[in-house]
Amino acid sequence: TRAELLTDLRQAVDKAITEGTSLAAFQKEFEAIAARHDWQHRGDAAWRAKVIYQTNMRTSYMAGRYAQMTTPEMLEERP
């Protein structure tokens, strides 16, 4: 069931990235996923969801930015 939990969380993160879901909406989905899988995490659920959301949003943005900055055209302009 741990794999299913991680899959559901990954799908929620992917949805947040592609649809531009707000942090509040992601937190609600996070709580629903945790309840559905009967996951008893330590600490505040809102804090944990915020960390997951922000980390993945920033990483996604920076991966896209890196891809833009390393195109052959850009490297020719700004080596």
Side-chain angles (χ1 to χ4, degrees), residues 1 19 21-22 24 27 52 55 67 69-70 77:
T1 61
E19 296 179 8
T21 303
S22 69
Q27 286 174 328
I52 292 169
T55 300
M69 298 303 290
T70 57
E77 290 289 321

Side-chain angles (χ1 to χ4, degrees), residues 15-36:
K15 179 182 173 186
I17 291 169
T18 58
E19 296 179 8
T21 303
S22 69
L23 174 59
F26 180 78
Q27 286 174 328
K28 287 180 185 176
E29 185 150 2
F30 176 85
E31 291 173 7
I33 291 168
R36 185 170 52 242

